[in-house]
Amino acid sequence: MGFSKGRVFLFRIPEGKEFLSAVVEFAKKHNVVIGTISAIGTLKNPKIGYFEEEKKQYKVIELKGIYELVSALGNISIKDDEPFAHVHVSLGDKEGKMFGGHLIEGEVFVAEVYIEELLGEPLIRKPQENGLALWDVEE
């Protein structure tokens, strides 16, 4: 599926907001339905996930404290007729140990976000037999 470049956004999420909710709120406000996301910053008490195929669900890993958001990479598409942010993160603790996975939630201390809008046919996530909501596209 081909896309062309749309608008580019660079913004900061205010302290105390939940990261994914803030990204979705921004996407709705600016009518971004397809795009790429990257971010850096710091998250408090983030929850990340690892998808367990045999159970068809995410194992939730709750991290306590403040973690450097070394990198967040993801995308925006449509799920349940609304913009949806799918983001994976690399998080560093105070000793430099790294944790990573699917971001489930994280309270923002600092977050600087880059979104590049893509123009083209919407990518729509639909539930699959494997338990994931994936884009309904063929190669």
Side-chain angles (χ1 to χ4, degrees):
M1 189 168 265
F3 298 97
S4 58
K5 282 185 166 186
R7 299 167 292 170
V8 173
F9 301 94
L10 188 60
F11 64 99
R12 185 177 63 81
I13 297 173
E15 181 178 354
K17 288 209 166 207
E18 195 284 314
F19 183 91
L20 293 170
S21 298
V23 168
V24 168
E25 182 181 311
F26 184 92
K28 287 179 182 178
K29 179 179 179 180
H30 296 279
N31 198 31
V32 176
V33 294
I34 315 165
T36 61
I37 303 167
S38 63
I40 57 174
T42 307
L43 298 179
K44 296 178 184 177
N45 303 317
K47 292 180 185 174
I48 56 176
Y50 172 81
F51 191 76
E52 297 179 306
E53 287 182 52
E54 62 283 350
K55 294 182 180 179
K56 297 184 179 182
Q57 65 184 16
Y58 281 95
K59 174 186 177 190
V60 177
I61 301 163
E62 295 187 37
L63 302 173
K64 297 295 181 195
I66 297 176
Y67 288 80
E68 193 73 13
L69 178 58
V70 176
S71 176
L73 294 173
N75 56 64
I76 297 169
S77 56
I78 300 295
K79 182 178 175 188
D80 301 325
D81 298 321
E82 297 280 338
F84 174 78
H86 180 204
V87 178
H88 287 204
V89 293
S90 297
L91 301 166
D93 71 7
K94 63 184 176 183
E95 296 174 2
K97 293 178 187 169
M98 295 295 293
F99 299 86
H102 174 89
L103 182 61
I104 295 172
E105 70 178 48
E107 180 187 339
V108 170
F109 177 64
V110 175
E112 299 172 341
V113 182
Y114 173 88
I115 293 179
E116 183 172 313
E117 178 184 42
L118 299 174
L119 304 174
E121 288 295 315
L123 292 171
I124 300 172
R125 291 184 178 276
K126 295 183 179 175
Q128 307 294 310
E129 288 183 22
N130 64 8
L132 295 169
L134 303 174
W135 296 329
D136 192 27
V137 296
E138 301 287 325
E139 284 188 32

